Amino acid sequence: MGCKRRIWCPLSLHLLQEVPFLLIVPQISLLFLESLRTKLISELLTLCRETGEKDVCFKVLYCGMCHSDLHMVKNEWGTSTYPLVPGHEIVGVVTEVGSKVEKFKAGDKVGVGCMVGSCHSCHNCTNNLENYCPEMILTYGAKYYDGTTTYGGYSNIMVADEHFIVRIPDTLPLDATAPLLCAGITVYSPLKHYGLNKPGMHVGVVGLGGLGHMAVKFAKAMGVKVTVISTSPSKKQEAVEHLGADSFLVSRDQYQMKTAMGTMDGIIDTVSAMHPLVPLIGLLKTSGKLVLVGAPEKPLELPAFPLLMGRKMVGGSCIGGMKETQEMIDFAAKHNIAADIEVIPIEDVNTAMERILKADVRYRFVIDIGNTISSAL
């Protein structure tokens, strides 16, 4: 995260050398392309700070590709700074620990999710909600305590404070576990917080992508009846037969939506594109809860009247604290839950970015940082 020692990060360099440069630095004059490329590559040679006394250093083996990586690369939220090294679904094996590290040792399987720092003293931090700390530090594209920029998991080494490291049980496959550190906790946390994890409840899941398929898996493991809500009728077989959803609604089919009105205790809405909320609110029972976990780049329309007539709630949720993230990982291990993934070499990262934009992935790309694909051949 800081840049206090030289560590070769060839995969991050590959991102600059092979991926079209406008993905990393948009709207730049081509006249300055090569000189700026050379400067950025030089900077990216020094990504990781020295391992501090409370730090864990681990060799990155896999890193999931989240849709937010694409948002950040394209600066769609207006917060990106360049050079940018994405990746916050990071797993690997510990190579070094600081002198005061208590929970980890060399050889442990570990992971880092969406955050690497917080104040540790505010109300949220003292209640295991570091993810809502006003001073929460994102895994990449943010400023660390020492003023340096944080860089993510599209690299071969990661250094983070042990408080923000999670332990990966041996029973979970590392590659398919990586997406749990963002997609998994993003849906697990609201299912628990909003009380939608009680056996026999009926929960809708809007969207069957990286977040949606994890929501189905966790909700089913909690004993919840699940209905997948999608614009694509072609996903019905996948949702029901492969993921185990109890039913499927085509959101563009007015008859299906009308028939299901007032039947759901809650809905987890994972869609990050513009879409209408009123039809979803209509599916809720009295006092039902619509929880948004997707992040559309433009505001969604939310009339008040559909909420008033039924005492319904629209809420949001963003990842989870470190205690809950470890709890989620342990729950996944107990119930044999992992993401459905497509493992790719770093050379294919640009193609994967383009496919993410088209929602052409089932359901999460995971970059083979450790080059296990070649090693297995």
Side-chain angles (χ1 to χ4, degrees):
M1 272 140 329
C3 297
K4 296 183 179 179
R5 65 176 177 184
R6 284 190 169 269
I7 293 183
W8 183 257
C9 295
L11 300 177
S12 299
L13 299 185
H14 187 94
L15 197 63
L16 284 180
Q17 292 169 328
E18 300 296 334
V19 176
F21 200 69
L22 296 185
L23 280 178
I24 307 301
V25 186
Q27 300 176 345
I28 186 171
S29 169
L30 295 179
L31 294 176
F32 298 100
L33 177 61
E34 289 305 322
S35 61
L36 187 53
R37 185 197 303 270
T38 300
K39 178 179 183 294
L40 295 182
I41 287 176
S42 175
E43 291 184 16
L44 287 173
L45 287 173
T46 56
L47 291 182
C48 297
R49 68 174 188 272
E50 294 285 353
T51 305
E53 60 184 16
K54 293 289 289 180
D55 287 335
V56 173
C57 177
F58 66 92
K59 176 179 174 58
V60 179
L61 297 180
Y62 298 99
C63 184
M65 295 182 68
C66 178
H67 198 280
S68 60
D69 294 346
L70 183 59
H71 285 303
M72 289 292 289
V73 163
K74 298 173 68 177
N75 196 25
E76 291 179 341
W77 293 330
T79 60
S80 302
T81 56
Y82 304 97
L84 177 74
V85 179
H88 57 208
E89 299 177 341
I90 315 163
V91 295
V93 177
V94 175
T95 57
E96 181 184 7
V97 298
S99 59
K100 294 186 178 180
V101 169
E102 299 176 353
K103 298 186 293 184
F104 303 97
K105 64 182 185 307
D108 286 346
K109 296 176 182 177
V110 297
V112 165
C114 300
M115 58 182 169
V116 292
S118 69
C119 76
H120 298 285
S121 60
C122 69
H123 176 78
N124 287 327
C125 284
T126 55
N127 284 278
N128 299 306
L129 294 171
E130 302 92 339
N131 51 312
Y132 297 120
C133 173
E135 298 180 26
M136 187 261 288
I137 301 173
L138 295 173
T139 300
Y140 69 85
K143 290 296 181 183
Y144 203 59
Y145 302 115
D146 59 5
T148 56
T149 300
T150 60
Y151 297 102
Y154 292 22
S155 183
N156 63 351
I157 291 176
M158 187 73 190
V159 178
D161 185 290
E162 73 166 331
H163 183 77
F164 297 93
I165 301 281
V166 295
R167 183 180 302 279
I168 308 297
D170 290 335
T171 54
L172 286 175
L174 278 181
D175 53 359
T177 296
L180 300 185
L181 295 169
C182 175
I185 187 59
T186 295
V187 296
Y188 179 90
S189 183
L191 284 169
K192 281 197 60 187
H193 175 75
Y194 288 97
L196 302 176
N197 61 337
K198 299 177 177 62
M201 298 190 84
H202 185 187
V203 172
V205 174
V206 185
L208 198 61
L211 292 173
H213 93 288
M214 293 308 311
V216 174
K217 291 187 177 190
F218 276 115
K220 288 301 297 180
M222 293 169 177
V224 173
K225 177 183 176 182
V226 177
T227 295
V228 170
I229 306 163
S230 174
T231 60
S232 304
S234 60
K235 293 186 177 181
K236 179 177 181 178
Q237 182 177 0
E238 174 74 8
V240 175
E241 296 183 9
H242 174 67
L243 295 174
D246 298 280
S247 56
F248 186 90
L249 281 179
V250 179
S251 58
R252 291 173 177 166
D253 188 318
Q254 294 184 7
Y255 175 77
Q256 289 188 26
M257 294 293 283
K258 184 177 181 180
T259 302
M261 286 183 64
T263 63
M264 299 181 188
D265 297 286
I267 296 174
I268 303 296
D269 185 346
T270 71
V271 175
S272 59
M274 295 297 295
H275 62 289
L277 297 182
V278 173
L280 301 177
I281 295 171
L283 297 174
L284 295 172
K285 297 177 182 178
T286 299
S287 301
K289 303 162 186 175
L290 171 61
V291 186
L292 308 180
V293 295
E297 56 185 281
K298 296 181 180 179
L300 299 174
E301 183 177 348
L302 181 60
F305 195 71
L307 301 179
L308 302 179
M309 302 307 293
R311 197 172 61 185
K312 299 174 183 179
M313 174 191 298
V314 175
S317 185
C318 181
I319 58 172
M322 295 312 303
K323 180 179 179 180
E324 188 174 50
T325 301
Q326 185 65 64
E327 174 189 300
M328 177 273 304
I329 289 289
D330 295 338
F331 182 92
K334 179 180 179 180
H335 294 275
N336 196 29
I337 296 173
D340 287 13
I341 61 172
E342 183 177 335
V343 180
I344 62 167
I346 191 65
E347 290 81 3
D348 292 345
V349 69
N350 181 54
T351 300
M353 285 280 189
E354 294 173 352
R355 288 179 56 191
I356 289 173
L357 184 61
K358 300 174 183 177
D360 177 27
V361 54
R362 183 181 171 274
Y363 287 97
R364 204 67 150 189
F365 287 117
V366 173
I367 306 172
D368 180 21
I369 304 292
N371 202 27
T372 61
I373 297 175
S374 298
S375 301
L377 297 178

